[in-house]
Amino acid sequence: MPDSVLNFARTEASPSANWTSSSPLEEYTLTYSTGTDSADVTLIVAQWSTSDSAKSEYDSLTNALTGTELAAGNVKVSGTTTGSYVVREDSSDSKNAVAVWQNDTAVFEATGVRTSVTRFYQKFPL
């Protein structure tokens, strides 16, 4: 994972088990911060052995999101579609947002304040 994204620096990284039911090969939770705790972005990332398994987890995560859709589209690498993304407001607090994207065998979920998440996911290197 990158050390920084825009002005967000990676401040924490630890193994996690949020998605163990879908049997990822590895899974981590990372925190990216600007130095202001209220603007932190929490990123969960996991990798599966096949893109179908990753897509299944992506579909499960995005189908559970109920807030207003802020953005959606395809993830492209060198002009080829390798996955999808969805960004939604947090249904319990419109000041927060959740971005979920799949790139081949990896799935990412970024959560935090809406302005931070919106800036972060757009510049996260895939």
Side-chain angles (χ1 to χ4, degrees), residues 38-51:
S38 63
D40 286 359
V41 172
T42 299
L43 179 70
I44 300 171
V45 58
Q47 185 166 13
W48 285 261
S49 59
T50 68
S51 58

Side-chain angles (χ1 to χ4, degrees), residues 8-110:
F8 294 90
R10 189 180 68 221
T11 58
E12 292 180 41
S14 59
S16 61
N18 296 50
W19 303 332
T20 55
S21 64
S22 61
S23 303
L25 298 171
E26 58 183 334
E27 178 183 348
Y28 300 93
T29 298
L30 303 104
T31 301
Y32 285 86
S33 181
T34 61
T36 303
D37 290 346
S38 63
D40 286 359
V41 172
T42 299
L43 179 70
I44 300 171
V45 58
Q47 185 166 13
W48 285 261
S49 59
T50 68
S51 58
D52 287 342
S53 296
K55 175 76 165 101
S56 179
E57 182 63 26
Y58 169 83
D59 289 343
S60 176
L61 291 168
T62 57
N63 287 337
L65 298 175
T66 58
T68 301
E69 186 174 291
L70 303 173
N74 293 320
V75 172
K76 293 187 177 194
V77 176
S78 300
T80 301
T81 299
T82 59
S84 303
Y85 70 92
V86 172
V87 183
R88 291 188 174 267
E89 285 182 351
D90 182 325
S91 59
S92 62
D93 185 349
S94 64
K95 292 179 184 176
N96 295 328
V98 179
V100 180
W101 65 100
Q102 177 208 356
N103 184 5
D104 197 25
T105 61
V107 175
F108 305 82
E109 179 185 67

